[in-house]
Amino acid sequence: MEDDYFSLNAILADNHKLSCSFTLDVEGLGYLEGGTENNIHQHSKVELPFWLAQTLSLNEFTTFPLPPPYSNRVKAALKASAQSVKLSNLVGGNGWWYRWGRRIADVLDDVPQADLLNTLLKAFVNRLPALQDLSAHHASADHTLPESSTSTGEAFRDGMEGDERELFAVGQESGKMARSWYDGSSSRKGGR
Amino acid sequence: MSFFDDDDDEDDFNSLSSNNPRPGPNPISYGQSGSGSNRASSSREGSVSGSSSFLDRLRSTVSPPPGGQQQQQQQQQQQSRSRASESIYAESLSYNNHRGESSSILGSIQGDDHDIDINEDDDPEDLDLDDENLNDIKKLSKYWVKERGTVDLNPWQGDLIDQIFDKLEQQQKMVNTLRSDPQTSEEEHFKLMLVQTEMERVKYLVRSYVRTRLHKIEKFAHYITITPDMHHLLSGAELSHARRYTELLHTHFQHSVLDSLPEWLRKMDDTYGDGLSMVTKPNRNIPVLIYCRKDCGEITLEGGERAALAKGTTHLVKYRLVDRWINLGWAEVL
C-alpha cells in the first residue's frame, strides 16, 4: 500500500468525493455545484473529489466534517464485530476504505487524526485472522460443494476491501503454488 | 515471466532418472551400461553446453574476474561444495582408491582430501559463526535474503559472484571430464547427477539475486540516475541499465502523453506540497523482520516507546530505525 505517484490504486482512491462547504463566495465556479448558478455562495455544500478538496482545505477555502465512511456509526459497528462490517461499499467502486482513511487523516488535526488512525488499525488487525483463514481455506476447498450464501465466510468475502482483496489473492495463490509443487515433486519422484 | 528458462533442465533430468536405476557394476553388463551412460551423457551434453554459454552470458554482466591460481581455485572449490556433495565425493574417492584410478583430475583431488574433512566439522546450527567460516554459497544466501527482505538497494557483491562463477566453471569441467571417462562406474554417474543438481541450485540463487536487484533498480531507475550517492551500490552493467531504462521510460511518456499537454505540465520530477514526488524513492518506513545477532542497544519507536534489541531476539520494525545495524551485520534479515 505504497503512496506511489504512479500507483493506480492510490489514484482511484483519491478520486472519491468528499462533501465540503465553502467558506467564502467564489465567482464563476457555479458549475461545480451542478446547478445553473454562476457563483458559489458561502456555506454551500459541494461534493468534490478528494485531490481537489485537499488542496482547497489546506488553503482554508473549504471545510469538511468527518465523512460518512468514518462516522461514529461505522466505528461502533467495527467495535462490535470488525469482521462483519462490509467495507467494500463504503468508499468508491472497489472499496478503498483504508487508503482513503489515511489520506483524510493527513488533513485532520491531531486528536481526530489519532482517533481515525487507531480505528483503521484496529479494524485491520481484527479482520486479518478471518482473511488469512479464508484465503488458506479457499486454496484447498472443494469448489463443487455449493457454499451457503449466509455463511460468514462468503459474507466476509463480499465485504472485503480493495487492499484486503489483494492480500487474499496473494494468500490463495501461494497456497495453490505450494500445493502444485507438492503434487508435482511427488509425482516426478514416483510417488515417494 | 523470467528470462532465464528452466524448462530444458527438467526434460534432461527426467531422461537421466529413467536411465539411472541399473544393476551394480558387473563386467558382463558393463558394456551395455557404458553405452547407456554415453547416451545419457549425450542427452545431457546439450544442456551442459547451453548452461556454459549461459554462464558466459551471466559473466558478461559482471566485471571480468581477477586472475587466480589454478591450485588455489581448486582448493577453494573443494571447500565450497556443500557438505552432502563433499561426503559423496569423499566416498567416491575412497572407492576410486580401491579401484586404483589414476586420471589427472582425480589425482589432484586426493591430495586435498584432508581439506574436505576439516570442513565437515562446521556446525551449521551455530549462529555465532564468524563470517570467514561461511562458505560462498552460504554467504550468497545471506545476501540474497537481505536483498529480498529490504526495500533499499544493497551493495552489489561483485567479488562473491565472481568467485562463485569460477567455482561453477571448475565444477562443470570436472563433471564433464568424469562423465566422458569410460572408467567411471554407475554409482559415480549417479553422484555426478547430485553434483549437477547442486550446481543448478547455485545458479538459481544467482539468478534470483540478480532478478531481485533488477526489480528494485527498474522501480527506482529515475531516482538512481539523479542520486550519485547510490552509484557505488550498483555494478557497471546495472548502472548503465538504470540510465538507459530511465531514458526509455521518459521518452515513452513524452511521446505518448506529455507532448500533448501544455508546456508547464510536462515535468517528470515534480514534488508536491504533501511530499508526494514523481520520482519514486525507496520507502524506508516499510517494516523489516530482523534477528539480532548481537546486543544492539535500545531504539526509540514512534510514540516514544523504547524497544531493547537484545541478542537472539526477533523484531519487526521500520527499516529506517535499524538500517544501521543491518549494514553492520549485527542484525540479520529473515
Side-chain angles (χ1 to χ4, degrees), chain A residues 103-175:
Chain A
R103 305 289 273 146
I104 297 254
D106 281 337
V107 205
L108 292 176
D109 296 324
D110 286 333
V111 172
Q113 183 187 53
D115 199 29
L116 178 59
L117 289 177
N118 265 332
T119 319
L120 292 177
L121 183 64
K122 286 206 184 95
F124 182 68
V125 168
N126 285 330
R127 288 165 77 91
L128 194 58
L131 180 76
Q132 159 78 6
D133 199 29
L134 208 60
S135 73
H137 204 63
H138 244 86
S140 54
D142 187 8
H143 288 280
T144 58
L145 294 174
E147 281 192 41
S148 61
S149 53
T150 53
S151 73
T152 45
E154 275 290 327
F156 182 70
R157 207 152 56 93
D158 284 335
M160 271 205 290
E161 201 246 2
D163 292 309
E164 287 174 352
R165 241 174 296 152
E166 277 184 31
L167 286 175
F168 178 74
V170 167
Q172 249 193 329
E173 232 193 84
S174 60

Side-chain angles (χ1 to χ4, degrees), chain A residues 2-6 103 188, chain B residues 219 272 276-278 280:
Chain A
E2 287 176 16
D3 289 327
D4 199 5
Y5 180 74
F6 293 105
R103 305 289 273 146
R188 213 185 324 142
Chain B
K219 195 163 150 192
Y272 293 100
L276 190 63
S277 162
M278 283 200 194
T280 39

Side-chain angles (χ1 to χ4, degrees), chain B residues 88-124:
Chain B
I88 286 170
Y89 250 83
E91 269 184 90
S92 70
L93 286 179
S94 53
Y95 186 64
N96 284 334
N97 281 337
H98 294 321
R99 295 186 57 198
E101 289 276 50
S102 60
S103 87
S104 59
I105 295 207
L106 287 179
S108 59
I109 292 174
Q110 290 169 16
D112 295 327
D113 208 359
H114 58 282
D115 282 340
I116 296 176
D117 289 332
I118 291 174
N119 279 336
E120 293 199 11
D121 289 340
D122 277 352
D123 186 3

Side-chain angles (χ1 to χ4, degrees), chain B residues 294-322:
Chain B
K294 297 193 203 172
D295 224 341
C296 298
E298 290 196 339
I299 51 169
T300 313
L301 303 171
E302 312 261 306
E305 287 174 29
R306 304 184 72 85
L309 295 174
K311 175 177 170 178
T313 51
T314 317
H315 300 274
L316 181 68
V317 290
K318 288 194 182 176
Y319 179 71
R320 64 179 166 86
L321 293 171
V322 292

Side-chain angles (χ1 to χ4, degrees), chain B residues 17-80:
Chain B
S17 61
S18 60
N19 280 337
N20 258 331
R22 264 173 285 193
N26 152 350
I28 299 173
S29 63
Y30 190 72
Q32 279 183 337
S33 48
S35 63
S37 68
N38 283 340
R39 206 174 354 112
S41 63
S42 60
S43 72
R44 264 278 183 182
E45 230 33 89
S47 81
V48 162
S49 54
S51 54
S52 56
S53 68
F54 151 81
L55 280 181
D56 288 344
R57 260 187 291 139
L58 261 191
R59 287 193 87 153
S60 64
T61 69
V62 303
S63 51
Q69 294 171 2
Q70 182 77 0
Q71 180 68 18
Q72 189 187 9
Q73 281 175 348
Q74 275 196 347
Q75 274 197 348
Q76 283 178 349
Q77 184 210 346
Q78 303 303 323
Q79 294 162 7
S80 80

Side-chain angles (χ1 to χ4, degrees), chain B residues 45-243:
Chain B
E45 230 33 89
S47 81
V48 162
S49 54
S51 54
S52 56
S53 68
F54 151 81
L55 280 181
D56 288 344
R57 260 187 291 139
L58 261 191
R59 287 193 87 153
S60 64
T61 69
V62 303
S63 51
Q69 294 171 2
Q70 182 77 0
Q71 180 68 18
Q72 189 187 9
Q73 281 175 348
Q74 275 196 347
Q75 274 197 348
Q76 283 178 349
Q77 184 210 346
Q78 303 303 323
Q79 294 162 7
S80 80
R81 286 202 224 108
S82 69
R83 291 174 71 221
S85 56
E86 275 168 0
S87 56
I88 286 170
Y89 250 83
E91 269 184 90
S92 70
L93 286 179
S94 53
Y95 186 64
N96 284 334
N97 281 337
H98 294 321
R99 295 186 57 198
E101 289 276 50
S102 60
S103 87
S104 59
I105 295 207
L106 287 179
S108 59
I109 292 174
Q110 290 169 16
D112 295 327
D113 208 359
H114 58 282
D115 282 340
I116 296 176
D117 289 332
I118 291 174
N119 279 336
E120 293 199 11
D121 289 340
D122 277 352
D123 186 3
E125 263 68 40
D126 187 0
L127 288 168
D128 287 326
L129 280 178
D130 293 293
D131 279 333
E132 293 85 33
N133 275 349
L134 294 178
N135 64 33
D136 280 350
I137 297 179
K138 285 194 196 142
K139 267 195 237 171
L140 181 64
S141 320
K142 274 182 67 176
Y143 286 121
W144 174 59
V145 171
K146 193 162 97 150
E147 194 77 51
R148 289 187 69 132
T150 55
V151 187
D152 223 346
L153 207 56
N154 297 320
W156 165 251
Q157 307 294 330
D159 298 332
L160 181 62
I161 301 275
D162 286 343
Q163 277 181 2
I164 287 188
F165 276 165
D166 289 336
K167 286 170 192 173
L168 274 178
E169 267 191 55
Q170 292 284 323
Q171 204 154 353
Q172 186 67 55
K173 282 187 203 148
M174 278 185 57
V175 166
N176 286 345
T177 318
L178 280 177
R179 195 163 346 100
S180 48
D181 187 355
Q183 286 175 319
T184 50
S185 73
E186 301 323 312
E187 227 176 276
E188 278 154 29
H189 278 294
F190 181 69
K191 290 170 188 170
L192 282 181
M193 210 176 66
L194 292 175
V195 172
Q196 261 171 319
T197 312
E198 192 216 5
M199 282 172 54
E200 292 302 316
R201 288 169 72 179
V202 174
K203 278 193 240 168
Y204 172 81
L205 262 190
V206 174
R207 281 201 295 264
S208 184
Y209 179 67
V210 174
R211 224 185 300 149
T212 317
R213 288 183 66 88
L214 191 66
H215 174 254
K216 280 192 203 172
I217 287 173
E218 288 192 349
K219 195 163 150 192
F220 304 125
H222 192 45
Y223 180 69
I224 289 174
T225 318
I226 289 183
T227 324
D229 289 340
M230 287 193 79
H231 289 182
H232 70 278
L233 299 174
L234 280 72
S235 75
E238 286 179 339
L239 190 54
S240 63
H241 175 67
R243 289 205 176 107

Side-chain angles (χ1 to χ4, degrees), chain A residues 23-145:
Chain A
T23 53
L24 33 87
D25 285 336
V26 185
E27 308 223 348
L29 287 178
Y31 61 90
L32 282 179
E33 268 187 301
T36 50
E37 297 238 343
N38 267 346
N39 309 330
I40 306 182
H41 301 290
Q42 199 175 15
H43 300 304
S44 61
K45 281 204 163 187
V46 182
E47 297 252 331
L48 295 174
F50 179 75
W51 45 272
L52 196 55
Q54 187 183 24
T55 325
L56 289 176
S57 302
L58 283 177
N59 292 335
E60 306 269 336
F61 293 137
T62 60
T63 60
F64 62 92
L66 195 62
Y70 307 99
S71 62
N72 286 329
R73 210 179 116 233
V74 175
K75 263 190 253 182
L78 284 171
K79 236 188 280 186
S81 158
Q83 296 178 5
S84 29
V85 179
K86 273 189 186 294
L87 292 180
S88 51
N89 306 335
L90 289 179
V91 179
N94 250 345
W96 301 110
W97 195 71
Y98 292 112
R99 271 185 210 265
W100 212 55
R102 276 177 52 192
R103 305 289 273 146
I104 297 254
D106 281 337
V107 205
L108 292 176
D109 296 324
D110 286 333
V111 172
Q113 183 187 53
D115 199 29
L116 178 59
L117 289 177
N118 265 332
T119 319
L120 292 177
L121 183 64
K122 286 206 184 95
F124 182 68
V125 168
N126 285 330
R127 288 165 77 91
L128 194 58
L131 180 76
Q132 159 78 6
D133 199 29
L134 208 60
S135 73
H137 204 63
H138 244 86
S140 54
D142 187 8
H143 288 280
T144 58
L145 294 174

